[in-house]
């Protein structure tokens, strides 16, 4: 096997294995035996060993998590997972210090740690191997999320050194700011709701059913407590330092303190310094270092007496709510936004705050003219966290949420599973129209850089563009009379629109703005379905065969192409000359099929129809759609066309299945 052959075979094998994983884990409906499956994996391993450059990070031979559709199993904690008492002031801390001294006397030591803002996790290691990862749950029992946790890169699957045969280690899983920003950006591009803060994003991620998705979300972890019978040291600090040597991620910022004054200094330092950390912290945890003293102090029903959390104050300000605006996004989602009397908060002037949805307004009972408390927590945009009702006058009224689109007047809809209202008037509502065009021209889509948001709005206002297809009908003469468009820029616009006709098909598919179909999803689809026609014709079942496509995305694709308006737009884009199919891979492998015509019909276990056609071409063969006397082979899969088979029979054309086809190539 030469390099090109190995490349093609390994790519095909990966797809085949992934598909069988899906059948096995997600559909719980395996198509082949375990033995046959193992053979496929072995074959891939052999190729990857021979040509290491062909090994990809997402190869099924690597650790990427699996697709087990596990409703999580509940596990009882060996040691209950308690919470911590909270304090908010120096005097609370002094009280805590006094309580400790009463029990232990003066001879003790504190350990201060940052309080990471994420989701707590308990990991069990047996003989140095990660056995189990369980969430806090209700403290008594939690969810077994081992498959997901195994994908977090800094959690060791195996540890090294002199560790106890069995122990638990607990800590916090969190999403660093960078991962959070990237995730929300992707979600916006795919028309999904953003996560409000990294903590929610972490919680959502840990509960995903598909661990290969978790692997992509960039979670991180710090561990902060070691539990078990034969721990190396009789104090918390040294145990953590030891755990660090075994390979666990332990924070650098742990500090021993001799007095409560030193504790307060630590808190004051980190209250400022935390703003520069690449992840969220919401306080400091103060623990008694010595294990025997911890035992002496013991527990209340809910929390240990030997530890306490000091919560940082989120920066807050109080100001007047002037009005509430409603923004309409490209997908029609409605977001209420509060207009505030400008106020200073965490170094910036705040004039607007997000309100998320109707439910939040109702829960807080927010009314116009209220004095509201705004807070800048983990979120980038400040939020309203409460109302100071003492300022209310007698004539304030409950806020009535809108029922109709503020832009086009259409009655709003709200699906049960969604928190937000939507304007269904996709093709007639201004921000949805311009938003879709903006998305279409954006850098990762068609990259039409002669156009900007303002120009799009101007063109729409002048009734020159109402959808993405209209862009391709624009003429320079239509642009010139518009204010702000000079001869040169009109030329640029027309030229960059013209250039976009060369953009690859996967960009076009992303650009047309099918909800939930982001850049990566578009790419995955095009790997399998090579033209817009194939995508339009694919049914739910076929779409679900595609890597990373679940029911929600499949339905969204079907819904998009089910709309006559969208079909028209696609047709006009096609007529304008946009790329509506993927470029053929022309890597020649052999001339084995030279002069032979093939007809491919039905579905196959190991290939998509397009893969088969690609392989035929790579071996010099030609694909034709109808069986005739000049057809060499009809490759018939499951549910292949009966008329094709009958015709082939009549014309004595050889009918083969995919195994016979494999034999042909390998001959
Ligand atoms: S020690 C007995 N240390 O804060 C509880 N907790 O309510 C021992 N947390 O659920 C917890 N950073 O998820 C501890 N350095 C740290 C922590 C920490 C964050 C979380 C943890 C716990 C909650 C306390």
């Amino acid at each position: 096997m030469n390099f090109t052959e190995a490349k093609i075979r390994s790519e095909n094998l990966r797809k085949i294995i992934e598909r069988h994983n899906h059948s096995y884990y997600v559909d719980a409906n395996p198509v082949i035996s375990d033995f046959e499956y193992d053979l496929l994996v072995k074959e891939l391993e052999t190729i990857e060993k021979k040509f290491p450059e062909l090994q990809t990070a997402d190869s099924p031979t690597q650790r990427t998590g699996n697709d087990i559709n596990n409703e999580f199993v509940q596990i009882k904690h060996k040691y209950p997972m308690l919470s911590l008492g909270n304090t908010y002031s120096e005097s609370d801390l002094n009280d805590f210090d006094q309580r400790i001294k009463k029990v232990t006397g003066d001879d003790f030591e504190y350990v201060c740690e940052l309080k990471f803002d994420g989701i707590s996790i308990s990991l069990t290691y047996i003989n140095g191997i990660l056995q189990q990862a369980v969430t806090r749950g209700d403290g008594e029992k939690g969810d077994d999320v081992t498959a997901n946790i195994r994908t977090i890169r800094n959690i060791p699957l195996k540890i090294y050194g002199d560790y106890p045969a069995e122990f638990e280690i607990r800590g916090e899983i969190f999403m660093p700011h960078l991962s959070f920003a990237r995730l929300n950006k992707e979600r916006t591009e795919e028309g999904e709701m953003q996560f409000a803060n990294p903590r929610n994003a972490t919680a959502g991620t840990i509960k995903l059913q598909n661990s290969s998705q978790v692997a992509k979300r960039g979670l991180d972890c710090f561990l902060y407590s070691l539990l078990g019978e034969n721990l190396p040291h009789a104090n918390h600090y040294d145990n953590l330092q030891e755990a660090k040597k075994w390979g666990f991620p332990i924070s650098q910022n742990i500090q021993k303190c001799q007095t409560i004054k030193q504790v307060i200094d630590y808190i004051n330092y980190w209250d400022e310094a935390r703003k520069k950390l690449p992840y969220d912290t919401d306080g400091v945890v103060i623990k008694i270092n010595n294990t025997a003293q911890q035992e002496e102090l013991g527990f209340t029903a809910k929390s240990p007496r030997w530890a306490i959390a000091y919560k940082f104050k989120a920066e807050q300000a109080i100001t007047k709510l002037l009005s509430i605006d409603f923004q309409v996004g490209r997908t029609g989602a409605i977001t209420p936004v509060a207009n505030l009397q400008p106020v200073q908060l965490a170094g910036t002037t705040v004039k607007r705050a997000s309100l998320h949805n109707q439910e939040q307004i109702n829960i807080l009972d927010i009314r116009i003219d209220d004095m509201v408390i705004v807070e800048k927590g983990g979120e980038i945009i400040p939020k309203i966290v409460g109302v100071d009702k003492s300022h209310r006058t007698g004539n304030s009224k409950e806020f009535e949420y809108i029922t109709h689109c503020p832009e086009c007047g259409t009655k709003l809809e709200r699906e049960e599973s969604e928190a937000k209202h939507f304007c269904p008037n996709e093709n007639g509502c201004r921000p949805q129209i311009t938003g879709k065009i903006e998305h279409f021209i954006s850098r990762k889509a068609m990259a039409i850089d002669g156009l900007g948001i303002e120009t799009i709005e101007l063109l729409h206002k002048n009734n020159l563009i109402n959808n993405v297809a209209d862009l391709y009908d624009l003429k320079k003469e239509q642009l010139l009379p518009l204010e702000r468009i000079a001869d040169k820029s009109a030329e640029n616009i027309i030229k960059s629109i013209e250039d976009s006709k060369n953009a690859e098909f996967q960009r076009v598919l992303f650009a047309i703005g099918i909800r939930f179909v982001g850049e990566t999803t578009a790419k995955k689809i095009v790997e399998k379905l090579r033209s817009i026609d194939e995508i339009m014709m694919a049914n739910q079942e076929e779409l679900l065969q595609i890597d990373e496509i679940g029911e929600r995305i499949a339905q969204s694709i079907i819904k998009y192409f089910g709309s006559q308006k969208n079909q028209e737009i696609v047709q006009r884009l096609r007529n304008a000359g946009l790329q509506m199919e993927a470029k053929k891979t022309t890597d020649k492998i052999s001339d084995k099929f030279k002069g032979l015509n093939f007809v491919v019909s039905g579905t196959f276990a190991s290939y998509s129809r397009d893969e088969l056609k690609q392989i035929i071409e790579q071996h010099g063969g030609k694909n034709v759609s109808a069986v005739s006397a000049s057809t060499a082979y009809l490759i018939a899969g499951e549910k292949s066309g009966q008329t094709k088979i009958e015709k082939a029979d009549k014309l004595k054309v050889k009918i083969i299945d995919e195994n016979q086809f494999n034999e042909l190539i390998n001959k």
Side-chain angles (χ1 to χ4, degrees), residues 80-86 112-121 136 170-172 199 223-225 236 282-285 287 299 302-304 306-307 309:
M81 280 183 91
L82 302 174
S83 63
L84 290 174
N86 285 332
C112 287
E113 296 167 19
L114 290 172
K115 187 167 184 300
F116 309 105
D117 198 7
I119 299 297
S120 49
I121 195 80
R136 179 168 183 275
R170 291 181 177 173
E172 202 83 352
R199 188 177 187 285
L223 296 161
Y224 50 62
S225 123
H236 169 69
D282 61 342
V284 166
V285 181
K287 303 172 182 175
F299 298 85
K302 280 195 300 198
S303 51
W306 49 263

